[in-house]
Amino acid sequence: MSKFELGAYTIGDAPQYLADEGVELAKKYFDEQDIDMLVCFEAYERDQNSDLGRHWLAAEREANRVLAGDGRYDNSMVVLEAVELES
């Protein structure tokens, strides 16, 4: 079985380190909700409007909080992804 971790990348001008900070906020969200990240990602891929799919979107909103209030990155966003780990 493959193992995955939560990752992120930015779209726009925001630097990668902000995406990395966003990952930490998203991990905190998943921990607080006591929901498995991979289960949410798979649900999101099947149906964004499912309960678990909406949790993935909520975690992504949390990740984007690192950009809030910084006008330099108004055209940017953090996108979460499930990254497969190499064996």
Side-chain angles (χ1 to χ4, degrees), residues 14-71:
Q16 181 61 37
Y17 79 86
L18 288 175
D20 297 339
E21 288 179 20
V23 165
E24 295 308 312
L25 292 175
K27 284 180 181 178
K28 182 178 176 186
Y29 174 83
F30 286 124
D31 288 343
E32 288 173 352
Q33 300 301 314
D34 195 28
I35 298 173
D36 182 83
M37 171 274 304
L38 187 56
V39 171
C40 281
F41 177 71
E42 290 170 345
Y44 173 79
E45 290 287 300
R46 284 190 308 275
D47 180 7
Q48 294 179 6
N49 290 319
S50 67
D51 287 340
L52 290 173
R54 288 193 300 266
H55 277 290
W56 182 265
L57 292 171
E60 201 163 65
R61 279 192 300 275
E62 285 297 308
N64 275 282
R65 285 187 2 186
V66 298
L67 304 176
D70 192 334

Side-chain angles (χ1 to χ4, degrees), residues 62-79:
E62 285 297 308
N64 275 282
R65 285 187 2 186
V66 298
L67 304 176
D70 192 334
R72 295 175 297 173
Y73 307 123
D74 284 346
N75 68 336
S76 300
M77 67 182 288
V78 174
V79 179

